Structure formats: structure tokens, C-alpha cells
Amino acid sequence: MAAATPFTPYWRALEPPGGPSSWVFFVVAQIAGRHRPVAVVSSVSDEPEESIMGYPLTACCRRIITIFGDPTNHLAIRAELALAVGYYVRDGDHEYLLEPMELPAYNRLISTTRERRRPWDRTSVREFPFIQACLLQGVGFDPQLGRTQRARPEPLATVYRDTSLEWGMVVVDITELDAIRYGIVGFAVGRAKFISSPEAERRPAVPGSMGTGVFERGELKVMEESRPRRAMSAAEYMAKFNREASEYGNAGEAIAEIPLVDAAAMSLVWPPDPEDDNHLPPVGLSVSNRGTSQGSHAFTHNCEHLSLEQVGALSAESISATLGGPGMDKVRSISLCIDSIQSTPAQLIDVLSRVDTLREIYLLQSPTRESDALSVEFFEELASRPHVLSRVNVMLAGAYSAALRQKFWLPTVSKRANAVQLAPLEVFPVQQILVRHQINAYRHIKLDHDYVYLGDGLLKPERFAAGFLLYLSTLQPGPDDTFNSKAQLFSFSSAPASLAADPLSAAQVSPVLAESFALPIWLPRHDARYWPRVRELVPGGWTVIISQEIHRSSGSYYIRYAFIRPRHQPIIIDDPPPEPLSLEGLEIVGLKEFLNITAPEVDPVLIDRRLHDVAEKLASGIQYWSPLPPDVEPLSVLNLEEAAEILPEFLKDAKELNNRLREAMKENPEERDWYPELVVEDPESR
């Protein structure tokens, strides 16, 4: 008689396994012999329906690749990668290895929403803020569907473990910006029961097996025993987890030709084993391989860019001498690390302002800095020279870093006399956007208001227009706590550089609207919401009003808008003019007229084309509601009388908002130091 086959304990699935429900995104680059992280972002789901599984994940991959692949972002990225060399190789030739940090060990069977919603890290200064901002926006906002995701920066030391019950991973390799690679890593997870004996095996694993109506709960387990160190494409990921493409677009097809990362690109962010984290093979750190593939101590790039961010102990005089040297007459852009400049901001800006050929200035900061204040000092000097800002695009690291910490980056009161904001309106003319939403609330229409401050976004007219059109095409009926409602603001900070570019395939990253991004919207134990303070409307700047209105029979939305400014006297929020407003004292125009005034070089035919594209998208209902009837205009400009009628409604609500902001600041003055001028101006304190 043959011997009985010995029983081997195993795990038995209680449900079809699925993919990870939360994701961590890494951007890596070849630096000093290894692929090292330069940005990390996580996206955690509270509920399965909020997860970025399936199409939303592939849309994130497409958007990230679009952002990092856009040539308008490359000089800033290359400059930060150059600084990364000095960050990872210190004190001569000593390799700096990060101490691995683990992601939260969530378990969807037991983790609560409160556990999953970690507080935003408002303290840590991000090492490479421009690259981090690129990644955050790629994860947080899908311009095609207007879908937003919860997304938050993570420390560079974060690592992925393939034993996680919660997490999957996306890795993007930007070593070669003209040949970006990416890859998805995720393993099947499901509820399972440990079968320890033949007797346990004979018990059925079906609903009711433990009593009428009682389901076996089991425990979550990674169901794949073999987990190869290989990345998947978007198409492979969708097939593995039986996910279907969105009827509105297949993001996987858009990136089908993008090559995948290899195992070496994942070695630091996906350590083979926790015990091996600090046992990496040594690499040579000679000068020749300390830089990225773009080169390290390069003074010029394609004869048009002067790259000085790795050069220490620079002065305004030495930079002036370099710019005045042979072959420098073609230089159109320069990158510097302002922490290493041994001159005052005024001295350096004076030197740069005298170089007529410059069109782009990149003012970076050290990855090991403790503050972003120096960026503000440099911008204050630039703001006093509007003629320089009008011809030069300026990137300041502090603008990106502050938003990543959800902090204001510019002072809310300008030192310049009679200026409503620090950024000069003759260069960045749009102050703010006032939005009202009509919401269907039990047989009657309710009005909801929200506000967007643009004075810290540094958006020139055409660049603003590109973001504004993207904003209109993805505008939701109101703030939604289900997803990351703030991420829709990324439509302004990751829009195409011009109206000629497709908003789905081009994305120039500009500063995130830090003030709007920093305010909490909701506060604990408060029912009201908190938006940026509405500034007084002044003749030199423009305010946009938007009315998103519901078409009752279809339940769909259409938009009416206008650009508005007073012709003579400012309109003060806490002391508004009497109603009805004088029509003669207001100037009301649409986008086309606004650009004709502020940027007449923009082709009006192109403006019409983009407006038509947005109108068509709104008319379709996108994915959220039914198409509009043909006789309803999806996008139109408010006339003078309509805008003058709506504006007092905003002014009244904005005054109430000021009062709410004052009270919230008094309640917690240390943490809520948003607008000191509001407390000073408090009518009750007089």
C-alpha cells in the first residue's frame, strides 16, 4: 500500500484577489552610480471606490510622463538633478545613503478613515521642490476627466515592500528626459484562510459555512508567492487585474511606446529584503560619474544656458564677469543656487537685469536648506523691477517648496506703496477668481461660493488663459471631500505653456497656488469653509467671476463668466460700494478681449478654437452628468448688466469670509497666521 502523501499547509483564497488599493510613486535618476529617489508621492484610498486602481492609475502614469517629458520643464529639472549630486555625495566622495522609511501598514479590513488620513507634513523642507511639485501634480490631477486624487509628498527615504497588503508602486526614471521610462509594480491581495490540516481543508470555504448568513472573514494576504522584480506596463497592469479602460480614453494606449524601467532603477526604492537595506554593493564615486547624464559642472548647455547651480561661493561680480565673457552673447537662460551666492539679492538681480538676452532665470536653493525665505527676498527685488519680470520667466525654488508644505510663500501685504499684492499686476494681471455654483438642493437651487487667489502663481496672460480654460473644462459643482478638491487648482500650475498646445499632451509646471492650497477649506468643529481672502478689486488688475449654473431638466451644468475691473476707484471688500453698482465704473470683458488688452500678440483664431474645445467638452457632460440640450450655450460671457448684478453677491459673501478668517485666526493665532492685516483691520478692534 502506497504511503499517504504528506499534507502541506497552505492559504486558501476566500475571494478573487485584487490589486493594491493605495500607491506610492517614485521619481528616480542615475546619480553617482545608482538610481536614487528625487521625489516621492503617495495616494491613499479611504474607500475602494476612491482608489486609483484601474484607469485612474494609468491616467496618473500618463500625466506624470507628460509633465516630465515637457521640454519647458527640463531646465529646472536638470538643475535640481545637478544639485542632487552634491546631496547624495558629501564631504568629498562619501556616499550618502538614506535610512529607509516604511509606508503605513494599512489593512483595508481594519484600518479606519482617520488612520488613513495622515496630517500633511508642513514642516519638512523638500529637497528638490520643482521635481516634487511635478510628481504631486501628475498624481493629483487628471486633465482629461477632471478627476482628482488624494496625493501627498513623502520623504525621499520612503521604500516599497512587496509584502505590503495595501501598497503598489510606480517608478519613473528621468535619467534621460528625452527618453523617460516608467513601470508599475503590484501584487494580488485578497482574503484567505490558512489551511493547517486535511480536516480544515474539508471544511467548505463558502458563505454560510460557519452558520446561516455568516461569512468567513479570513485575513488579507499577498496571494503571489513568487514576486519577480519586474515592472509592468499600464496595459499589463490592466490585464493582470482585469480592469477595463475608461470609455473616455485609454491612458495605457497613450503611453504604450514608453519603455519600462529595469530592476536596477528600483533597487533603492524597492530593497530586496529589510535586512539588506544597508548592505548595498559599493559604487565608484569619481568625478566622471558624479553627475547625471546631463553633465555636472557644465557652464553652458547648448550654448544658450548657463548652469552655475553647482558652483559655490559665487558673487554678483563673478557672475557678471562670466556673463560678459566670450561666447556669452547667446545665453538666454541661467540657473543658480541662491544659497551659495555671496552677494545681496539686490546686487545679483541688478546684474541679471542688465543682460538683455536673458529670458529665463532659475533660482534654486540647496537641498539641505532649512528655510525658503531667501526665495522671497529675491522675488521682492524682482517685483520692484516689473520691466525685468515682463521679459523674463523666473523659477524660484521657494515658491514650489512652500506649497509642498502647505504654506503661503509670499507676504499677503506688499511693501510697495498702493500695491494690492507683491507680484506686479502689470506683469501678472489676474488677481483672483470668484466662483459661484448652483446646486440642486431638494427642489430649490442653492448657491455655493469659493475663491481662488492667483497672486502667488506668477501667471502671465497667455499662461493664465491656458490654465483658466483647463480649469473651466474640469470645474466640479462644488468642493468635494471625497477626493482631493484642491488638486483641481493644478489646472493652473500644470497647464500648457501656450494656447497652441494640447492640454492633454503638454504641461508647463509653474508655482502651485500656495495660498489657495494651504488653507484648510474645512476646520474642525466648524461648518463654514475657508477660502483665500478676496482682495480689493483695483483698476490695474483683473478679477474673474464664474457662475456655474444648473440646467434643471437635464441636471447638467453650463458656465457664464467675465473678467471685471473697476475703471477708476478700487472696490473694497469690507466697505463695498452701494447697490446697484455703477455700470460706468466697471469694465467687463471675455477671455478674448482680456488677451487683446494684456497680450495682443496671441492669435485670436487660436483663442476661439480653445474656447470652442472647452464648450464642446462642457456640452458633452464629460463623465459626470448628462449632455446639455443643443439650445443651451455651455460657455458664454456675462454682459455688463449681468456681471454688475452678480458682483455684489460675491462682495457680501467675501466680507463674511473675512469675518470667518478673523475668528479662526483669533482662535488659534500660532497655527493660523494667514492674514495678519485682517486682524489689524478688524472693525471690532477699533
Side-chain angles (χ1 to χ4, degrees), residues 223-243:
M223 302 304 293
E224 298 180 55
E225 294 296 333
S226 175
R227 298 187 286 277
R229 301 180 65 77
R230 176 188 173 276
M232 297 179 286
S233 67
E236 289 173 320
Y237 160 76
M238 296 287 278
K240 176 176 180 176
F241 295 109
N242 297 313
R243 294 285 174 175

Side-chain angles (χ1 to χ4, degrees), residues 303-498:
C303 300
E304 293 187 351
H305 179 67
L306 182 60
S307 176
L308 299 177
E309 64 277 344
Q310 286 183 303
V311 182
L314 285 169
S315 66
E317 292 77 10
S318 62
I319 293 170
S320 178
T322 300
L323 288 168
M328 291 294 166
D329 55 329
K330 295 182 180 179
V331 170
R332 293 176 52 83
S333 57
I334 185 172
S335 52
L336 303 154
C337 180
I338 56 178
D339 292 303
S340 64
I341 304 297
Q342 299 182 334
S343 299
T344 66
Q347 290 170 334
L348 178 61
I349 297 305
D350 278 340
V351 166
L352 297 180
S353 66
R354 292 196 294 268
V355 184
D356 294 335
T357 60
L358 279 182
R359 293 296 177 267
E360 297 177 13
I361 299 174
Y362 297 85
L363 301 178
L364 293 91
Q365 290 199 250
S366 167
T368 57
R369 72 197 180 284
E370 296 181 354
S371 169
D372 299 318
L374 194 54
S375 286
V376 180
E377 293 180 31
F378 272 88
F379 185 72
E380 287 175 334
E381 289 298 330
L382 285 162
S384 67
R385 301 164 173 81
H387 65 285
V388 177
L389 284 174
S390 65
R391 66 174 171 84
V392 175
N393 291 324
V394 180
M395 175 268 183
L396 295 111
Y400 300 86
S401 181
L404 292 170
R405 294 185 295 126
Q406 290 196 343
K407 299 283 189 181
F408 292 14
W409 86 274
L410 291 181
T412 55
V413 176
S414 174
K415 296 178 182 178
R416 294 187 297 134
N418 302 318
V420 71
Q421 64 182 41
L422 179 58
L425 289 170
E426 56 264 53
V427 183
F428 312 108
V430 183
Q431 299 175 248
Q432 56 208 343
I433 299 178
L434 319 180
V435 187
R436 76 167 186 176
H437 309 271
Q438 287 186 353
I439 298 174
N440 202 347
Y442 304 106
R443 299 182 181 178
H444 73 277
I445 297 298
K446 171 187 171 184
L447 290 179
D448 203 9
H449 301 84
D450 57 77
Y451 305 103
V452 179
Y453 178 62
L454 292 154
D456 53 6
L458 308 187
L459 299 173
K460 294 180 179 179
E462 184 177 7
R463 180 59 176 73
F464 164 80
F468 178 63
L469 291 172
L470 187 54
Y471 178 78
L472 290 179
S473 71
T474 57
L475 187 62
Q476 301 299 304
D480 185 352
D481 193 44
T482 303
F483 294 112
N484 181 8
S485 57
K486 290 185 180 182
Q488 207 225 345
L489 298 176
F490 296 160
S491 55
F492 291 102
S493 50
S494 60
S498 76

